Amino acid sequence: QVQLVESGGGLVQAGGSLRLSCAASGRTFSSYAMGWFRQAPGKEREFVAAISWSGGSTYYADSVKGRFTISRDNAKNTVYLQMNSLKPEDTAVYYCAALTPGSSVQPPNEYDYWGQGTQVTVSS
């Protein structure tokens, strides 16, 4: 069992930066690959980024590549999403999730555990 709590969301102007954190409980955190997703009003939940259990492999949606960076600290049971050069279209609720071992990183239904989400609003 893994419980996830996101933090770090807020209101930022276009071009600004935010760093999201996802704190996990449970001793098995380091065995899970982790992902970040986002969901804007009226839209489906979409993949943003993922990171392997060791941190050695990372994956990004084309829309955030070069602007967002995912990382993790297994000693702190935390995964991060550094978001730079934010755009109004990045506005959404951001969720972290723990990936079922051996699954593909992009489909939301491949993830076992989800946080409650944190709101990110980018003003133009």
Side-chain angles (χ1 to χ4, degrees):
Q1 187 83 9
V2 177
Q3 293 183 322
L4 305 171
V5 179
E6 302 96 335
S7 61
L11 173 64
V12 64
Q13 288 188 331
S17 298
L18 282 174
R19 188 195 198 200
L20 305 184
S21 298
C22 173
S25 64
R27 292 179 293 176
T28 60
F29 169 76
S30 61
S31 66
Y32 282 90
M34 298 294 296
W36 284 97
F37 288 77
R38 65 187 182 187
Q39 188 166 19
K43 294 188 176 182
E44 293 186 353
R45 192 166 297 190
E46 66 171 351
F47 171 78
V48 174
I51 188 167
S52 63
W53 67 270
S54 67
S57 297
T58 56
Y59 312 85
Y60 296 95
D62 287 343
S63 59
V64 307
K65 203 171 291 183
R67 299 188 298 123
F68 291 11
T69 302
I70 189 170
S71 61
R72 68 189 297 160
D73 184 340
N74 286 341
K76 295 182 178 180
N77 277 12
T78 303
V79 62
Y80 304 98
L81 186 67
Q82 177 67 44
M83 306 186 295
N84 298 329
S85 303
L86 283 161
K87 305 175 182 180
E89 51 263 44
D90 294 319
T91 295
V93 177
Y94 283 71
Y95 300 88
C96 70
L99 181 66
T100 306
S103 300
S104 300
V105 299
Q106 291 202 18
N109 61 5
E110 298 286 356
Y111 287 75
D112 280 335
Y113 303 104
W114 291 84
Q116 84 291 347
T118 186
Q119 176 71 47
V120 171
T121 304
V122 184
S123 63
S124 57

